[in-house]
């Protein structure tokens, strides 16, 4: 049963990222199904930070849908922007990963607590930046995907590992597609 849930979660995760690259609001629907399924997968694998991440993702999927549906201030649709305060976002990721990792290491029987914590914190940063359509959110996803491929393989979550290989490829494509769209929006506005 666990493998079937993992397979279905992987399928819905693939669809979510595919529609995100296309800037299609359906990404949030498929993402919601994926994260609900993965709450169970990560709980049974003792990857508690990832489980908590996916619980948070349930709410972020709704927020993402709302943000993309109703756009930014004074606009009917949310436009792609560039990252500001890069040091803040990187520092938040590092410090948050250390704090969550320490908690998981000292208070739970979590497998790989610090790496799992990094995946959680970096994913939350990436997800927030994606919700507000920041181009560099894809860089955070690329790093998360590389780390996740290793940890999920180690935990024998092979379907999830394959999904994250696909996510890695899709994150690179997503960055290129969003960069192209950003450049077109920028030229159009001039």
């Amino acid at each position: 049963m666990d493998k079937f849930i993992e397979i279905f979660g992987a399928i819905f995760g693939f669809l979510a990222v595919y529609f995100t690259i296309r800037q299609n609001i359906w990404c949030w629907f498929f993402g919601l199904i994926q994260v609900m399924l993965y709450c169970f997968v990560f709980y049974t694998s003792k990857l508690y930070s990832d489980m908590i991440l996916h619980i948070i993702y349930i709410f972020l999927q709704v927020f993402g849908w709302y943000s993309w549906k109703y756009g930014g201030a004074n606009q009917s649709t949310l436009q792609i922007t560039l990252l500001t305060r890069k040091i803040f976002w990187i520092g938040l990721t590092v410090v948050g990963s250390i704090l969550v990792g320490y908690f998981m290491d000292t208070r739970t029987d979590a497998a790989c607590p610090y790496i799992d914590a990094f995946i959680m914190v970096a994913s939350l940063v990436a997800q927030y930046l994606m919700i507000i359509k920041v181009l560099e959110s894809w860089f955070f996803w690329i790093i998360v995907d590389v780390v996740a491929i290793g940890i999920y393989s180690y935990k024998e979550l092979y379907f999830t590992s394959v999904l994250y290989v696909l996510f890695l490829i899709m994150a690179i494509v997503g960055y290129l597609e969003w960069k192209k769209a950003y450049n077109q929006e920028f030229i159009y506005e001039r």
Side-chain angles (χ1 to χ4, degrees), residues 96-121:
S97 297
I98 292 168
L99 293 175
V100 172
Y102 179 78
F103 177 84
M104 290 296 173
D105 189 32
T106 59
R107 310 287 166 141
T108 72
D109 64 342
C112 311
Y114 288 95
I115 297 170
D116 193 29
F118 171 78
I119 292 170
M120 175 189 171
V121 174

Side-chain angles (χ1 to χ4, degrees), residues 9-36 54 57-69 78 126-127 129-133 137-138 141 167 170 174 178:
I11 291 167
F12 283 106
F14 177 85
L15 291 170
V17 175
Y18 171 79
F19 284 111
T20 302
I21 291 169
R22 312 291 324 148
Q23 296 185 61
N24 185 309
I25 200 162
W26 278 96
C27 67
W28 302 108
F29 169 76
F30 290 112
L32 180 61
I33 295 170
Q34 180 226 354
V35 299
M36 289 190 300
H54 281 72
Y57 273 165
I58 291 169
F59 300 99
L60 291 178
Q61 297 302 310
V62 174
F63 178 61
W65 170 83
Y66 180 84
S67 181
W68 281 29
K69 173 87 174 159
L78 193 60
Q127 186 70 35
L129 295 174
M130 177 140 317
I131 287 170
I132 60 172
K133 280 196 173 178
S137 63
W138 291 106
W141 284 126
F167 279 174
M170 294 170 83
W178 278 33

Side-chain angles (χ1 to χ4, degrees), residues 66-81 132-133 185 189:
Y66 180 84
S67 181
W68 281 29
K69 173 87 174 159
Y70 296 106
N74 303 323
Q75 296 178 354
S76 60
T77 58
L78 193 60
Q79 303 295 310
I80 298 169
T81 60
I132 60 172
K133 280 196 173 178
E185 288 170 7
E189 289 177 2

Side-chain angles (χ1 to χ4, degrees), residues 1-2 8 13 15 19 22 32 48 69 73 91 107 110 120-121 124 127 132 142 146 148 156 162-163 166-167 172 184:
M1 181 67 161
D2 292 356
F8 282 114
L15 291 170
F19 284 111
R22 312 291 324 148
L32 180 61
Y48 302 129
K69 173 87 174 159
R107 310 287 166 141
M120 175 189 171
V121 174
L124 286 172
Q127 186 70 35
I132 60 172
I142 289 167
V146 168
E156 298 180 359
V162 169
L163 175 64
L166 294 173
F167 279 174
I172 294 166
Q184 289 174 344

Side-chain angles (χ1 to χ4, degrees), residues 30-49:
F30 290 112
L32 180 61
I33 295 170
Q34 180 226 354
V35 299
M36 289 190 300
L37 293 171
Y38 267 99
C39 286
F40 177 78
V41 170
F42 290 131
Y43 175 76
T44 59
S45 298
K46 292 187 177 187
L47 293 171
Y48 302 129
S49 293

